Amino acid sequence: MQIVVGVAVVRDGLVLAAYRPGPDGGWEFPGGKVEPGETEEQAAVREIREELDLEIKVGASLGPPVGISDRYRLHVYLASIVAGEPVLREHAELRWFAPDELDESEWLVPDRPFVRELLRQL
Ligand SMILES: Nc1nc2c([nH]c(=O)n2[C@H]2C[C@H](O)[C@@H](COP(=O)(O)OP(=O)(O)OP(=O)(O)O)O2)c(=O)[nH]1
């Protein structure tokens, strides 16, 4: 089982989301697959640097990993920005969401438990 790490970057009470297009698309947490020899935190830092040109500090897990498929599980962590502004490099769209704008039905299915936990914490 391989882990996909998702990163809930929070700034001033808003969370950064990325849009994944397609028939099964929706909002997701920026991130990606953990590579061999890497910790989940290291993967989170690398992916956010690659995708958004952002330096982050990884915080607490937002709950246990959730199944995506028979090969992958999603694990989402909180993070704060250490340096930079998010740059749109790979995603169709980026958006900062306030808690009252977060509608889990607009998110990829595996992300929804993490969105719920995030709402409890924001
Ligand atoms: N990055 C990310 N992926 C997610 C989330 N939720 C979710 O189901 N996924 C799925 C979508 C992808 O099928 C899978 C891995 O994401 P990825 O970003 O590394 O993979 P990808 O398909 O874009 O890239 P690649 O492996 O083809 O190079 O995880 C999420 O919140 N963030």
Side-chain angles (χ1 to χ4, degrees):
M1 222 20 144
Q2 217 185 319
I3 293 284
V4 172
V5 69
V7 183
V9 176
V10 174
R11 184 176 70 186
D12 300 333
L14 307 179
V15 64
L16 186 62
Y19 198 78
R20 182 176 288 262
D24 296 320
W27 293 101
E28 66 174 14
F29 297 102
K33 296 170 185 119
V34 177
E35 291 179 353
E38 215 177 32
T39 65
E40 293 180 20
E41 286 82 356
Q42 286 168 340
V45 168
R46 175 183 52 74
E47 289 281 357
I48 296 305
R49 195 178 282 149
E50 286 173 4
E51 293 184 0
L52 303 173
D53 200 15
L54 208 54
E55 297 300 321
I56 57 165
K57 181 176 187 303
V58 179
S61 155
L62 278 175
V66 168
I68 295 175
S69 64
D70 51 2
R71 290 180 54 201
Y72 293 104
R73 287 189 302 165
L74 176 68
H75 196 183
V76 178
Y77 290 83
L78 285 170
S80 57
I81 297 180
V82 173
E85 274 294 320
V87 174
L88 190 65
R89 279 182 165 172
E90 296 185 3
H91 297 99
E93 188 183 347
L94 292 174
R95 178 169 157 190
W96 290 99
F97 279 94
D100 65 357
E101 297 168 336
L102 283 173
D103 174 354
E104 67 175 73
S105 69
E106 298 176 348
W107 286 66
L108 300 188
V109 172
D111 294 60
R112 295 177 188 176
F114 299 107
V115 172
R116 283 198 286 280
E117 181 54 31
L118 185 62
L119 276 170
R120 280 191 278 271
Q121 297 195 21
L122 279 179

